[in-house]
Amino acid sequence: MSRKRALGWWRSARLIERGVLACSPVTRYKRVVVKLSGEALAGESGWGVSQQMLQRLADEIIALYDNDIRVAVVIGGGNYFRGRMAASWGISHAEADNIGILGTVMNALMLRGVLTARTDADIRVMTAIPIQSVAEPFIRLRAMRHLDHGCIVLLAGGIGQPYVTTDYPSVQRALELEADALLVAKRGVDGVYDRDPNVHPDAERYQTLRYEEAITRGISIMDRSAFILAHEQGLTMHIFDVTRRGAMLDVCNGEDIGTTVQA
């Protein structure tokens, strides 16, 4: 038995004990893109990076890897700076977005560091802006090759342009990499509701939702442009609470947690 496979089995057993990993070997998805917001990395504080949250997310990603699921992760940067803060700082929106783009790279490098310490998988960081000294440039065919060879791919920098959040690039990358589904991990939100559950206690959560309805109703859990692109290309999207242990693997194993959005 190879050292990598033995380590994978040992880690899988440990994660099962801790409630992170499900026992079922049957998976409906073999290649996924995970969308992690910067706020998800920050944990309860909403700013910076929580070491505990970073380690938990690393375990969730490793659980996918140990179950032979090809995984790429699109990472946001809102835990450092958001474009809507531009006015209060007296700087242009484009400049603020560029700062946020660099924040996504910082998050990717931190996640790579934690993943590298916890698994012997090959971890690749790819960016939409050239930063050759710390990451590879995103080239679709190269990213596909990394996934085909069993690498975990971390995608930073959005699409490298201002005025675009990481919602749209997460859909774009999922389509480019021919992912079976996009897993959207939200902080403090366990799915899509018909009304704001923070304002309306009787709000009802959708178990399944069609893109047409989401767009028509103006549901803002993701950018409208992301919903439109996913709808046009028939991409399945799962929206769930990032704090739910084992959520990513449960979705891949066929459990419909959170809200499933489909064309």
Side-chain angles (χ1 to χ4, degrees), residues 73 75 104-113 115-116 122-129 131-139 142-143 146 151-157:
V73 184
I75 304 175
T104 69
V105 178
M106 293 169 62
N107 285 334
L109 295 177
M110 293 194 70
L111 183 56
R112 179 175 67 182
L115 285 168
T116 300
D122 191 0
I123 317 295
R124 299 298 181 105
V125 175
M126 307 187 81
T127 62
I129 56 174
I131 312 181
Q132 291 91 338
S133 60
V134 296
E136 303 174 47
F138 175 79
I139 300 172
R142 182 184 293 180
H146 286 332
C151 301
I152 296 174
V153 180
L154 309 180
L155 303 169

Side-chain angles (χ1 to χ4, degrees), residues 32-43 48-50 53-62 64 71-80 100 103-112 114-115 152-158 165-171 173 182-187 221-222 237-244 247-248:
V32 296
V33 168
V34 177
K35 164 63 166 61
L36 288 181
S37 66
E39 290 87 342
L41 298 178
V49 177
S50 162
M53 198 63 197
L54 200 60
Q55 292 173 343
R56 275 196 52 194
L57 289 172
D59 281 342
E60 298 277 337
I61 294 167
I62 292 169
L64 299 179
V71 56
V73 184
V74 173
I75 304 175
N79 53 324
Y80 291 117
T104 69
V105 178
M106 293 169 62
N107 285 334
L109 295 177
M110 293 194 70
L111 183 56
R112 179 175 67 182
V114 174
L115 285 168
I152 296 174
V153 180
L154 309 180
L155 303 169
T165 72
T166 49
D167 286 345
Y168 186 89
S170 67
V171 174
R173 297 298 189 234
L182 173 63
L183 312 187
V184 182
K186 291 286 188 178
R187 183 176 67 86
I221 197 164
M222 289 190 76
M237 183 185 302
H238 296 270
I239 300 174
F240 56 91
D241 189 351
V242 71
T243 63
R244 185 188 188 280
M248 297 179 193

